[in-house]
Amino acid sequence: QVQLVESGGGLVQPGGSLRLSCAASGSISSINTMQWYRQSPGKQRALVAISSSTGITNYIDSVKGRFTISRDSAKNSWYLQMNSLKPEDTAVYYCSLVSDSQSYWGQGTQVTVSS
């Protein structure tokens, strides 16, 4: 069983930065994919960024150049660095790990971008 624990959300002014963390515990396949989603009030959860263990990384257009996924393999942790934040980035952010054909979800962390 894999568990994901997220941290790092908060309130930030427009133009600011936050780094979200997703720490995994349990048995994780060497072949895996980390996905970051977000859900704004009244909207469906939407994929924001994806990073595979094979080195493929992709982002939705609205965050390209501002968001970056990274991984610390030694800590079994992934990070979403978010720069130049905009009010429209406000949402609950979720990490999701696909490992051995199973999907695991973090508990979500609130990101609020407001002056």
Side-chain angles (χ1 to χ4, degrees):
Q1 188 71 9
V2 175
Q3 290 187 326
L4 304 178
V5 177
E6 295 185 55
S7 60
L11 173 64
V12 64
Q13 292 186 342
S17 297
L18 282 174
R19 190 178 80 154
L20 306 184
S21 299
C22 180
S25 60
S27 179
I28 301 170
S29 170
S30 59
I31 305 298
N32 56 71
T33 300
M34 171 57 68
Q35 301 166 317
W36 288 92
Y37 288 78
R38 66 186 179 188
Q39 186 167 20
S40 305
K43 294 186 178 181
Q44 289 187 332
R45 193 172 298 186
L47 182 65
V48 175
I50 184 169
S51 178
S52 74
S53 57
T54 58
I56 297 173
T57 303
N58 209 352
Y59 306 88
I60 59 172
D61 287 345
S62 61
V63 308
K64 280 182 181 176
R66 299 189 298 122
F67 290 13
T68 304
I69 293 180
S70 62
R71 178 181 182 181
D72 185 336
S73 297
K75 295 182 179 179
N76 265 348
S77 292
W78 285 259
Y79 307 96
L80 183 66
Q81 178 68 43
M82 305 185 296
N83 299 328
S84 302
L85 283 162
K86 304 175 181 180
E88 52 263 43
D89 295 319
T90 295
V92 178
Y93 283 72
Y94 299 89
C95 61
S96 174
L97 181 67
V98 179
S99 173
D100 288 328
S101 300
Q102 298 284 328
S103 292
Y104 304 93
W105 289 85
Q107 81 279 14
T109 186
Q110 176 70 46
V111 171
T112 302
V113 184
S114 175
S115 55

